[in-house]
Amino acid sequence: STHPVVRAAAASAAARWGSGPRSSALVCGYTHDHRGLETGLSALKETEECLLFPTGFAANVGIIPALCDGPDCHIFSDALNHASIIDGCKLAARRGARVSTYRHCDVRHLEALLDASQAPRKMVVTDSLFSMD
């Protein structure tokens, strides 16, 4: 970034911590800085909390089964979703959620599956960029 505040913060962090290999809390341990980032992001977004995930894979296998955690939830997943989304769906299924796959980018097929589902909670999961294409 060229924003002066971002540049000043980056320079301050480099002066404090030095430079070199750094990583996520998973690899290098959860620090006060990680908590500060979560707190700052939750304040920025005006939410109660924020939880950081070290990778997209960790987010998908953490969030999907947490939100769809029982037989009252039905997940609808695009046929070409990334493997990490599919893994998240499989973990949710182990907790009792039903998982259905709709044809790639086929909204009519998705609508038909949604209409046929009697589940009180429904989750549609799709990729933002299909790399499995």
Side-chain angles (χ1 to χ4, degrees):
S1 174
T2 59
H3 192 282
V5 174
V6 174
R7 292 176 63 187
S12 175
R16 179 175 177 198
W17 296 105
S19 63
R22 295 284 182 251
S23 194
S24 67
L26 177 69
V27 175
C28 67
Y30 188 81
T31 67
H32 293 290
D33 290 319
H34 290 104
R35 182 64 193 141
L37 177 59
E38 290 172 338
T39 302
L41 288 171
S42 66
L44 175 70
K45 299 304 285 181
E46 299 178 351
T47 62
E48 184 177 327
E49 258 313 325
C50 173
L51 179 61
L52 299 175
F53 287 92
T55 65
F57 176 86
N60 288 330
V61 299
I63 294 294
I64 294 170
L67 293 178
C68 209
D69 60 353
D72 65 329
C73 192
H74 192 159
I75 300 171
F76 302 87
S77 178
D78 189 285
L80 294 184
N81 272 341
H82 189 269
S84 63
I85 293 173
I86 294 167
D87 286 348
C89 292
K90 287 179 182 178
L91 288 172
R94 292 186 65 171
R95 300 182 79 185
R98 183 168 176 214
V99 179
S100 295
T101 302
Y102 60 92
R103 291 184 293 269
H104 179 55
C105 291
D106 189 334
V107 175
R108 287 195 179 111
H109 185 221
L110 172 60
E111 286 175 342
L113 292 172
L114 286 166
D115 289 343
S117 175
Q118 298 300 311
R121 297 189 305 139
K122 299 172 185 173
M123 175 189 282
V124 176
V125 185
T126 188
D127 228 323
S128 59
L129 176 66
F130 289 93
S131 60
M132 307 306 280
D133 233 343

